[in-house]
Amino acid sequence: MKFSESWLREYVSPDLSTQELVDQLTMAGLEVEGFEPVASQFSKVVVGEILKIEKHPDADKLAICTVSSGEETHQVVCGASNARQGIKIPFALIGAKLEDFKIKKAKLRGVESFGMLCSERELGISDKHEGLMELPADAPAGVDVREYLSLDDSIIDLDLTPNRSDCLSMVGLGRETGLINALDVSTIKIEAVSKTINDQFEVDLKAGSACPRFVGRVIKNIQLDAETPLWMKEKLRRSDVRSIDPVVDVTNFVMLELGQPMHAYDLAKLQGKTVVRQSESEEKVTLLDGSDVTLAENTLLITDDSGPIGIAGIMGGLSTSVTETTQDIYLESAFFAPTSITGRARSYGMNTDASHRFERGVDWKGQADAIERATALLLEIAGGDAGPTTESVLENDLPSIPEVSLRLNRVKRVLGVEIEESQIDDILSRLGFEHVSNVTKDDVTWQVKAPAYRFDIAIEADLIEEISRVYGYNNLPVRTPRTSLTMAPVEEGVINLNKIKDHLVTRGYQEAITYSFVDPKLQAVLDPEQDPIGLANPLSSEMAVMRTSLWPGLVKALIHNVNRQQTRVRLFESGLRFQQPPNTANLEMADVRQERMLAGVLLGPKMPEIWGNSSEVVDFFDLKGDVESIFKLTGAETEFTFDVGQHPALHPGQTARIMRGTNLVGFIGLMDPRAQKKLGIDQNVYLFELKLDEINSRHVPEAQSLSKFPEVRRDIAVIVDSEVSAAEINACVESATDGSFQNLMLFDVYQGKGIDPNRKSVALGLTFQHGSRTLTDDEINKFVDEIVEALTIKLGASLRN
């Protein structure tokens, strides 16, 4: 919102410079984006009158003007198309300065010129330069233009937050400026204009709380060709509003002054009665700007017997617009609830001054005052006969003013400063808030009611904010927060998630954070067996379901990187997956199973591209090694087993299911080639996904003394069936030993000549050590025999000679 500083000072004029004033407004919560002078710096420019005009003898586009500067006449050569006898214009005398340009005596095409006639751009008033700036006919010749137009002024550009709609008017800004400076504010004396005719126009309110008050007035016999006074034109111009005609200028002026948008209809074009109602789907209206709008359902309309004649609170219709032939008008001043206007203008691609105010809320008690103010100004400027003011009200649908409790102790606690009870009373009074205090032994409580123009006061925090603004943010103490900190206990048996993340980063992974909403098509490729939870109002078709796995988001990120020439990708993510029971008709929150997961994807070379590194690409065992390294953080890596598994997104021959005892931990493997093809990936992609709750518990290490006695290693080779896994052998060996057994090393596997084709030879290194003595050969032989016996019984093994 732009406004003139001098206009503001008509209401209240604190002893502050322009810079100090804008700083003060900003610190009070009314942010000033900037300010600029109304005009550029110039001197010796006076009101001139063209007494005579003649054609230039040697130039078709130039004219020789005789110009009066009040006491003298001057010959000036001018090329403006609107130069004519009798008009008043800004006249720069010899020696005048326009910014850095000095006016001197000149000769144009052989004719001497003593000065210059100015356009608005030359005075820095606007960019308009198509012709001379024309001044009112009654402007006194010879008077300094800067003084006559009050150009020692600034235009202030205010950027208000949506909750401060009360400051979208000069009255509101004056009220706020007076409040923060503890000054009295000059008020506008609005008196009812007596009727001189009895004409009225019927209004029917059918929109309930969307429009509970509608004030109107018929004014006949106006002179639309009357000139809007200079003072009003200047105030409009400095508020970035163009002057059009007296009716439009007056309604815009009242909107800027009181904050109440208004509209004028050509009375002769209205049919029947005015009805305020909600639109029906596919209704159409042609607006003032000539645009044809097809209306959505539940758009608030102003209608008459001919149909829609305007979108309420946004823009009037062309069919009833005021034109140069209009003589009789119907003035409208209504209250439209913010909820009925919010978003409507944007939905139709519009943004008007009226919608900007109605969306944020206007004073729902101020409609009659706006009508009276507009009527008085219009009769003064354009004449006419005013009918009675008619007010249509739905009392039960008018907004209610909430009563808000304010506690002194709460003010102190929130602001960190002790404000006296009397000072808070004074602040509430200056704000115009009705309040009653109740003093108790422990506290003081106020019951507060805000005026109708303050839509933003609803809870105690709103009142405390107002007190802090008026008290002054700069006066609030600056303190370093202090608190007593107690070190939170850390459970040693739980692995911190950040430790797992740091570990993966050290292994070359990068953490990704993806949306919990994923593309249903991508979800179906990577987890087709799970029925995802659909969203009622998705942000887009690609974010329509909740993820049942972390893989869709990670794979999408991988594809994004590959498409941007990233040849080596290692990503991991921790987060929730969301699953529902199968065949659930009416899903409730309690039915949704949320599990914390850790997942990752790998693609490309094992090592970064460096001259000394191999270009070998990752395989299943690289992935398995990374996952096993996570398990080592638990101190119980032997509890985890890798079994042959099946997953719809993974290659049938390169998929492992991970178990911890009887609990499923997750899956690792190569992406199924069919899935890769659907996703347009032409390289092998390896994935893992683990349940965090299954891997975040760890064994707490216990200190033990090192044995002083020697280790003994015995190597044996056993023949087992080809299907027997290393994990099975390991489990069998450990089950057959006691505390003297230290380590098992599987160091060779052989299949070939001398071995049954369906069997294999496995070489095992067995290490033994006792904590308090040296083991004898007999004891070690016994341990080995027990291990061989266990392998024979459980796995059908035989000792290889």
Side-chain angles (χ1 to χ4, degrees), residues 43 70 124 141 167 224 258 321 486 796:
S43 62
C167 291
L224 204 62
L258 301 180
S321 62
T486 303

Side-chain angles (χ1 to χ4, degrees), residues 121-294:
R121 187 169 75 173
E122 285 150 351
L123 299 181
I125 292 175
S126 74
D127 291 330
K128 186 177 178 181
H129 65 284
E130 292 79 12
L132 300 177
M133 179 181 181
E134 296 189 32
L135 301 175
D138 59 356
V143 172
D144 190 289
V145 166
R146 181 172 289 278
E147 180 183 335
Y148 177 69
L149 294 177
S150 301
L151 295 179
D152 290 323
D153 187 15
S154 296
I155 297 173
I156 299 174
D157 190 359
L158 206 61
D159 184 18
L160 292 172
T161 52
N163 64 313
R164 292 311 305 272
S165 60
D166 59 299
C167 291
L168 286 169
S169 68
M170 296 310 300
V171 169
L173 285 172
R175 189 168 49 223
E176 190 73 11
T177 306
L179 166 70
I180 56 183
N181 287 285
L183 296 174
D184 293 333
V185 181
S186 299
T187 57
I188 303 169
K189 190 176 181 181
I190 300 176
E191 296 180 348
V193 177
S194 301
K195 66 176 182 177
T196 56
I197 57 175
N198 293 317
D199 296 60
Q200 301 181 32
F201 198 78
E202 186 180 354
V203 176
D204 189 6
L205 304 182
K206 292 186 175 181
S209 60
C211 178
R213 174 173 278 140
F214 193 103
V215 181
R217 184 173 223 160
V218 172
I219 303 178
K220 289 191 168 185
N221 303 318
I222 61 169
Q223 302 298 317
L224 204 62
D225 57 354
E227 184 74 16
T228 301
L230 179 65
W231 63 266
M232 183 177 287
K233 281 185 176 180
E234 278 299 297
K235 286 180 176 177
L236 292 174
R237 182 182 68 79
R238 295 175 198 188
S239 299
D240 206 21
V241 177
R242 184 167 59 95
S243 174
I244 297 175
D245 61 53
V247 172
V248 176
D249 290 351
V250 164
T251 55
N252 282 335
F253 179 82
V254 171
M255 178 186 69
L256 294 171
E257 183 180 58
L258 301 180
Q260 173 63 49
M262 301 182 67
H263 187 66
Y265 302 88
D266 188 327
L267 184 63
K269 297 176 183 177
L270 291 173
Q271 300 178 27
K273 65 178 180 179
T274 297
V275 178
V276 183
R277 62 171 176 83
Q278 299 288 358
S279 67
E280 298 174 1
S281 183
E282 301 301 315
E283 281 191 282
K284 294 184 179 181
V285 62
T286 302
L287 300 176
L288 284 172
D289 60 0
S291 61
D292 294 317
V293 176
T294 301

Side-chain angles (χ1 to χ4, degrees), residues 582-621:
N583 304 318
T584 304
N586 298 312
L587 184 67
E588 297 181 359
M589 266 311 288
D591 299 326
V592 179
R593 187 171 74 256
Q594 303 182 47
E595 287 185 296
R596 298 192 312 135
M597 306 297 291
L598 177 71
V601 292
L602 291 85
L603 172 144
K606 291 182 179 182
M607 302 294 290
E609 186 178 4
I610 303 176
W611 65 271
N613 287 343
S614 168
S615 60
E616 187 178 356
V617 297
V618 293
D619 58 23
F620 177 87
F621 295 101

